[in-house]
Amino acid sequence: MANEPVILNVYDMYWINEYTSTLGIGVFHSGIEVYGREYAYGGHPYSFSGIFEITPGNAAELGETFKFKEAIALGTTDFTEEDVDKIIEELGKEFKGNAYHLMHKNCNHFSAGLAEILCGKEIPRWVNRLAYFSSCIPFLQSCLPKEWLTPAALQSHISNQGLNKDDQSDTGDDEPPSTSASATTSGAARTCRHTRV
């Protein structure tokens, strides 16, 4: 049994969090770290996966408005690294770049789904509170900066693939290769059960 730690990495997305997070309101990005790799989700205009990889905890790969906030140990998983790769591939069919939606399918929804699969744990509710508030203010998503929807790591990967909006019909459902280097996982975690897919 692998008994690998599953960690939720949370990032502040904007300076306003310095003032609003004490009120329980903030704009956060999250990703799930397992086997020294962090998986996250972002939007783009194509019909392939919006799931991408960064070096765990490396806010610079996400863009200049992102700042690492904290790592939250969610538990452990018995899935192997190969199992995780297959799970990410399957989730990529659901979490396509052009399916990104601030209220219904954002990076925190992805993190919540992956955490549930890997170790049966929920992410803290405060991480995705913006989705709830944006449902009360429908025009909010159109006011947000593009980099909040498509982090720099994902934008860079799309650019490196030579894709543009005219290529959208040729992309199909294939997920492009990963974009980041591996890092080592550290930190203690509570044991929890996983769910086989």
Side-chain angles (χ1 to χ4, degrees), residues 41-44 50 94-110 128 130-142 144 148-150:
Y41 172 62
H44 57 70
E94 177 185 349
F95 288 90
K96 294 181 181 182
N98 62 358
Y100 184 95
H101 190 279
L102 180 64
M103 294 179 285
H104 307 295
K105 192 174 284 209
N106 64 35
C107 58
N108 302 314
H109 291 109
F110 167 76
N128 205 19
L130 177 64
Y132 168 75
F133 283 115
S134 66
S135 67
C136 300
I137 309 168
F139 63 87
L140 182 61
Q141 185 172 353
S142 64
L144 297 177
W148 287 14
L149 304 178
T150 309

Side-chain angles (χ1 to χ4, degrees), residues 164-192:
N164 60 49
K165 287 191 179 189
D166 296 335
D167 297 331
Q168 185 172 0
S169 61
D170 297 333
T171 59
D173 288 345
D174 296 333
E175 181 178 344
S178 169
T179 62
S180 75
S182 295
T184 59
T185 303
S186 64
R190 296 184 313 258
T191 301
C192 64

Side-chain angles (χ1 to χ4, degrees), residues 3 74-76 78 119 121 189-193:
N3 206 32
L74 296 174
T76 60
D78 291 334
C119 67
K121 297 288 183 172
R190 296 184 313 258
T191 301
C192 64
R193 297 185 54 159

Side-chain angles (χ1 to χ4, degrees), residues 1-102:
M1 292 195 153
N3 206 32
E4 183 69 21
V6 176
I7 299 165
L8 175 72
N9 288 325
V10 182
Y11 302 83
D12 284 314
M13 290 179 60
Y14 204 55
W15 61 268
I16 195 85
N17 283 6
E18 294 176 25
Y19 304 100
T20 61
S21 61
T22 56
L23 303 171
I25 302 169
V27 182
F28 304 105
H29 170 77
S30 68
I32 295 290
E33 178 182 345
V34 63
Y35 288 105
R37 296 155 68 186
E38 182 175 334
Y39 301 96
Y41 172 62
H44 57 70
Y46 307 104
S47 62
F48 57 77
S49 175
I51 299 171
F52 62 98
E53 224 181 291
I54 66 167
T55 305
N58 189 338
E61 290 181 31
L62 294 170
E64 61 186 41
T65 62
F66 294 80
K67 179 180 161 191
F68 183 77
K69 179 175 177 62
E70 66 181 290
I72 301 169
L74 296 174
T76 60
T77 188
D78 291 334
F79 282 114
T80 66
E81 193 167 0
E82 293 76 25
D83 291 336
V84 172
D85 288 340
K86 290 175 188 171
I87 290 166
I88 294 300
E89 186 176 332
E90 282 302 307
L91 284 174
K93 295 174 184 175
E94 177 185 349
F95 288 90
K96 294 181 181 182
N98 62 358
Y100 184 95
H101 190 279
L102 180 64

